[in-house]
Amino acid sequence: MLELIAKRFKNIPSPVDFWSLRLVEDRRQRLGVRQDVLQPITNHHGLGAYITVMDQGGLGYAATSDLSTTGLAEAFRRAMTWAKRTANTSLLSPEHITWPHQSGQYRTPVEQSWESLNLNAKIELLQDTCRRLKITDAIVDWLATLSYRASEVLFLTSAGAEITQSFYYLMPELKAVAHGGSETQIRSYGYDHARQGGLEHLDRLRFFDAPKRVAEEALQLLLAPNCPSGQMDLLLLPEQMMLQIHESIGHPLELDRILGDERNYAGSSFVTLDMFGTYPYGSTLLNVTFDPRCAAQLASYRFDDEGSLAEHTYVIRKGILKRPLGGVISQNRANLSGVANARACNWNRPPIDRMANLNLEPGDSTLEQLISQVEHGVLMDTNRSWSIDDSRNKFQFGCEYGRLIRNGELQEVVKNPNYRGISATFWRALSGVGDIGTVELMGTLNCGKGEPNQAIYVGHASPACLFTAVDVFGGV
């Protein structure tokens, strides 16, 4: 289908300096069972084209779901019109941009396809999983879902690039809500463990074994005391490290945000252009990479949506800030090297600077060794709430689950654990980094940015991490 559409487009006269065509076909399905009742099944199918034109110093875009020759020609005409309008008002000179011209392919490795189980079999698995969340009457709401997405992308340019990429995603989720008296607590699992791949990940995530643990931990929280308040050591497990990396490293390093493009919507950044190469973002234990190579992570790919080849790159090394998260256009504007992270959520959105797989590299401490270093502190897991200012600096995060640590040993469960800090100094308090055995592949499905808004998939792999002298507080 996409090849046929591309053939139609190539037959349209294109008297411009440069053009690109991005075709996207997107299919999704969501299955859910809540309180043992099958929820309405949702299905989605989208197909469309996004056209970029550069001509005589101007840059224009247009998108269309009319993929006939006439529809494509009209979209191309609109893109040319916008290129003419912007010729004298651009922030940069597009003719000086060296657009990528590589060709290649990428396909998510899949061992067990979504279609290998029929619809009834998947529903029966979910129904059984959901039932096992209801271990007592104190569990008042319980949910099990499975979602799937398949995206086929074809990218062509007048410079000769021809890129095909096929992505397959699996998104499981469990949730148990416990209630007693005036107290309600939630424990969840799976949503932040979404992966590229197929049904094989359900066993690797032990999804079908998790309901009992999730429900029991929700009940534990009902009876637990509030997290104490004060300055203490903080041990974050990967499910919360995912959010910490995302909000206080990923967003501040997006180059278009640093340049001011997102100021009136998603905010700006405390990071400035002169910090790269010298700024001590964290302790020497902090090593963060942009890494599109891990096939199972949510944001793995070979090329971004402007055709740039994606490569493993350090953005922070031994605590020092090295490079921003910026694609070809932002790199030219800032005169800085970036990464291949110009990404669009679908065919009807422009590529902008986004996180992809942004990972914190493992250290050499086991989880037990990290715990043993703590005289007075708390372990926190799974994000429940987040708040951060519009420069991505001052933050306050809450977690679902906590356990106190005293004299190097895990102690009682505590509820409503929260902590606050400042991005510019928080990472300098990093005092321990877990080894590869503590690493989990995490990610989020709803990173929002851009006008019009784009919700995109982002991957974060992280070990457990220990921070010293953090401001911790409990709920009320």
Side-chain angles (χ1 to χ4, degrees):
M1 172 67 78
L2 298 187
E3 288 77 9
L4 176 61
I5 298 167
K7 185 177 181 180
R8 292 174 192 159
F9 181 81
K10 288 178 179 178
N11 290 328
I12 298 170
S14 52
V16 295
D17 296 334
F18 174 86
W19 58 258
S20 69
L21 170 71
R22 177 166 46 87
L23 298 171
V24 181
E25 183 170 19
D26 190 58
R27 298 180 185 273
R28 310 183 200 190
Q29 185 174 67
R30 182 181 185 276
L31 310 176
V33 179
R34 184 175 185 179
Q35 298 183 18
D36 302 334
V37 177
L38 178 65
Q39 302 300 293
I41 297 170
T42 59
N43 294 285
H44 165 88
H45 177 234
L47 178 62
Y50 185 90
I51 298 167
T52 300
V53 165
M54 184 179 74
D55 193 42
Q56 298 180 29
L59 196 61
Y61 310 95
T64 183
S65 59
D66 181 353
L67 301 174
S68 66
T69 301
T70 301
L72 293 168
E74 172 58 20
F76 190 82
R77 184 196 65 78
R78 292 201 312 272
M80 286 196 298
T81 299
W82 280 111
K84 290 179 181 178
R85 290 177 178 175
T86 62
N88 297 315
T89 58
S90 294
L91 291 172
L92 75 166
S93 299
E95 67 270 19
H96 296 150
I97 298 175
T98 302
W99 293 97
H101 57 271
Q102 301 101 325
S103 295
Q105 298 179 338
Y106 176 85
R107 188 179 186 89
T108 301
V110 175
E111 296 175 24
Q112 185 181 2
S113 71
W114 179 254
E115 296 80 12
S116 65
L117 285 182
N118 63 41
L119 180 61
N120 287 337
K122 288 193 281 274
I123 290 173
E124 288 174 3
L125 282 172
L126 274 182
Q127 288 174 325
D128 177 66
T129 304
C130 188
R131 278 192 294 268
R132 289 187 285 114
L133 287 164
K134 177 70 171 177
I135 62 175
T136 174
D137 288 343
I139 301 295
V140 296
D141 195 11
W142 58 104
L143 170 75
T145 71
L146 271 181
S147 300
Y148 171 74
R149 182 178 182 182
S151 293
E152 306 286 337
V153 182
L154 175 59
F155 180 78
L156 305 173
T157 74
S158 57
E162 183 168 341
I163 296 167
T164 59
Q165 300 191 98
S166 301
F167 305 101
Y168 306 98
Y169 306 92
L170 184 74
M171 296 151 278
E173 182 180 14
L174 298 175
K175 183 178 291 185
V177 180
H179 179 78
S182 61
E183 184 76 28
T184 301
Q185 291 289 331
I186 298 173
R187 198 72 179 100
S188 61
Y189 178 74
Y191 179 81
D192 292 333
H193 290 265
R195 304 281 175 89
Q196 279 196 41
L199 294 172
E200 68 275 4
H201 288 303
L202 294 177
D203 287 335
R204 292 171 186 171
L205 292 170
R206 303 187 68 181
F207 180 73
F208 301 118
D209 298 329
K212 186 173 184 290
R213 175 188 63 80
V214 170
E216 287 178 345
E217 289 181 355
L219 295 173
Q220 290 173 12
L221 290 168
L222 274 187
L223 303 175
N226 266 313
C227 179
S229 299
Q231 194 173 87
M232 64 188 75
D233 290 350
L234 174 64
L235 178 56
L236 296 181
L237 297 185
E239 286 195 28
Q240 178 60 20
M241 280 300 300
M242 185 279 297
L243 189 279
Q244 188 69 57
I245 295 165
H246 186 90
E247 296 291 351
S248 66
I249 293 181
H251 279 309
L253 297 191
E254 291 167 337
L255 189 48
D256 58 350
R257 182 188 293 269
I258 295 170
L259 291 168
D261 295 356
E262 290 283 315
R263 187 176 296 131
N264 69 320
Y265 179 57
S268 58
S269 174
F270 74 90
V271 175
T272 56
L273 296 178
D274 59 347
M275 291 181 177
F276 290 97
T278 59
Y279 182 72
Y281 207 98
S283 77
T284 57
L285 297 176
L286 182 63
N287 294 283
V288 179
T289 57
F290 172 86
D291 190 357
R293 305 175 305 173
C294 182
Q297 276 196 269
L298 270 179
S300 292
Y301 51 85
R302 191 176 177 196
F303 302 91
D304 72 4
D305 288 327
E306 289 178 339
S308 295
L309 182 66
E311 298 175 316
H312 174 270
T313 306
Y314 277 89
V315 296
I316 300 172
R317 192 162 198 171
K318 295 184 178 179
I320 301 299
L321 184 60
K322 292 298 185 181
R323 67 169 64 196
L325 302 175
V328 168
I329 292 178
S330 293
Q331 291 175 41
N332 276 267
R333 288 173 58 192
N335 195 29
L336 283 173
S337 297
V339 296
N341 72 322
R343 304 177 62 206
C345 69
N346 216 318
W347 60 266
N348 56 357
R349 294 291 189 271
I352 57 177
D353 294 342
R354 305 303 300 262
M355 284 174 266
N357 291 339
L358 189 66
N359 302 334
L360 199 152
E361 296 297 307
D364 56 10
S365 298
T366 66
L367 183 60
E368 292 73 20
Q369 288 170 335
L370 292 175
I371 293 169
S372 71
Q373 296 176 38
V374 178
E375 181 176 338
H376 173 57
V378 61
L379 172 151
M380 296 190 194
D381 193 23
T382 313
N383 183 256
R384 185 178 65 177
S385 65
W386 68 95
S387 176
I388 191 166
D389 69 19
D390 61 4
S391 64
R392 272 357 195 217
N393 200 14
K394 297 177 182 178
F395 64 82
Q396 177 174 298
F397 299 147
C399 295
E400 289 182 5
Y401 188 81
R403 287 189 70 177
L404 295 184
I405 306 173
R406 294 191 196 93
N407 301 320
E409 294 184 355
L410 280 178
Q411 302 292 335
E412 67 267 28
V413 173
V414 291
K415 65 186 177 185
N416 306 325
N418 306 272
Y419 65 101
R420 60 171 67 95
I422 299 174
S423 298
T425 56
F426 179 80
W427 292 101
R428 296 175 202 161
L430 179 65
S431 59
V433 178
D435 61 16
I436 190 67
T438 72
V439 172
E440 293 187 36
L441 300 184
M442 311 299 299
T444 181
L445 304 171
N446 60 350
C447 177
K449 184 181 170 183
E451 296 181 274
N453 185 67
Q454 300 192 48
I456 207 162
Y457 297 173
V458 176
H460 299 298
S462 178
C465 288
L466 178 63
F467 300 85
T468 58
V470 177
D471 188 8
V472 170
F473 62 102
V476 294

